[in-house]
Amino acid sequence: GQSLEQPSEVTAVEGAIVQINCTYQTSGFYGLSWYQQHDGGAPTFLSYNALDGLEETGRFSSFLSRSDSYGYLLLQELQMKDSASYFCAVTNDYKLSFGAGTTVTVRA
Amino acid sequence: NAGVTQTPKFRVLKTGQSMTLLCAQDMNHEYMYWYRQDPGMGLRLIHYSVGEGTTAKGEVPDGYNVSRLKKQNFLLGLESAAPSQTSVYFCASSYSKGSTDNFGSGTRLTVV
C-alpha cells in the first residue's frame, strides 16, 4: 500500500514563507503532486514533480527527492487567499493516493 | 469546454436506497476516477478506469460499483446506501497516468 505523511496545520502571517513537507512510502512511484482545496471546493492542481529537483510556478514551488521519498511545497509571499488545505499525492499504477492534508491559515 | 461535470451536486438518501452518480468529461481523457472525502481527511480512491469498458478497484471499493460504457462517462453506483457512505464524492479525469487530474465540483451525499 501507500502512506503519506504531512503536517496537519500551519499558521503564518501575510507575506511570510511556508514550507509543507511530505514523506511517502509507495511502490511503482511515478511522481508527487500538490493540490489546494478551499472549504467546500474541489481540489485544484498546483504542481507535479516526476524528477528530482525544484519546480517553480509563480509564488509556489515544489521539490522532490526520490531517493529520500520526500518532497515539499513552498508557498511564498503568503496572501490571505492562500488559506486552504494542501494535499500531497503520489501517482503510482495509474492512480493518485493522497495525504491527509495540511491546513494553512494566513493571518493579517 | 465544461471539463469534468458531476451530477447531482447534493443528495439525501435513506438507508437501503440506491442511486447513481454521473461523471462526464469532455477532454477525451482515458483515465477517470471516483474519490470520496470525509471531514478532515484526504481523498480516498473508490474505483478507477483506464479506458472505455474497463474498471478497477481502488482503496475503498466496498459498497460501490462503477461502469464506463462510454469514454466520456464514468458512473458510480450505490446499491444499498449506508450512513457510512455519507461523504463528498469527487470525480476526476486525466490523459495519462503521470499527469494531473481534473476534478469535478463534487457531490455531497448524506445517508440517513
Side-chain angles (χ1 to χ4, degrees):
Chain A
Q2 300 84 37
S3 70
L4 296 94
E5 296 284 337
Q6 56 180 124
S8 59
E9 295 182 15
V10 173
T11 301
V13 296
E14 273 188 301
I17 298 174
V18 161
Q19 179 172 317
I20 303 172
N21 297 322
C22 177
T23 58
Y24 59 87
Q25 288 185 318
T26 187
S27 58
F29 177 84
Y30 287 115
L32 184 70
S33 303
W34 290 92
Y35 293 83
Q36 180 191 62
Q37 187 180 35
H38 287 99
D39 273 351
T44 56
F45 168 78
L46 293 177
S47 68
Y48 175 71
N49 294 69
L51 303 175
D52 286 357
L54 189 68
E55 295 280 343
E56 297 180 83
T57 309
R59 294 186 298 113
F60 295 172
S61 302
S62 59
F63 172 82
L64 174 66
S65 169
R66 295 173 68 113
S67 60
D68 294 325
S69 297
Y70 163 77
Y72 66 72
L73 179 70
L74 195 69
L75 288 68
Q76 303 179 74
E77 302 172 18
L78 275 179
Q79 302 175 8
M80 297 298 290
K81 67 178 181 179
D82 297 329
S83 290
S85 293
Y86 293 83
F87 296 90
C88 60
V90 294
T91 302
N92 63 341
D93 298 332
Y94 304 105
K95 53 192 184 290
L96 282 175
S97 298
F98 285 79
T102 299
T103 300
V104 173
T105 303
V106 182
R107 297 191 315 225
Chain B
N1 285 353
V4 178
T5 303
Q6 290 183 233
T7 53
K9 295 191 184 305
F10 302 93
R11 185 73 185 270
V12 178
L13 284 179
K14 293 183 178 179
T15 298
Q17 286 185 318
S18 63
M19 78 163 295
T20 300
L21 282 68
L22 172 63
C23 177
Q25 52 96 1
D26 61 1
M27 296 168 284
N28 203 34
H29 285 172
E30 290 292 338
Y31 305 90
M32 296 188 74
Y33 312 86
W34 275 107
Y35 294 92
R36 63 176 287 174
Q37 185 176 31
D38 299 307
M41 297 179 66
L43 282 72
R44 292 183 293 169
L45 183 66
I46 304 171
H47 286 281
Y48 65 100
S49 169
V50 301
E52 181 179 312
T54 73
T55 63
K57 294 181 179 180
E59 185 185 354
V60 289
D62 293 343
Y64 305 95
N65 57 74
V66 287
S67 65
R68 182 101 182 266
L69 298 180
K70 292 184 178 180
K71 187 176 184 179
Q72 63 269 34
N73 296 336
F74 195 29
L75 279 63
L76 177 71
L78 286 73
E79 291 185 349
S80 179
S84 60
Q85 294 178 303
T86 293
S87 189
V88 180
Y89 292 84
F90 288 102
C91 177
S93 71
S94 63
Y95 66 86
S96 75
K97 57 188 175 185
S99 73
T100 64
D101 285 1
N102 299 271
F103 285 85
S105 58
T107 296
R108 193 171 297 272
L109 176 66
T110 302
V111 183
V112 297

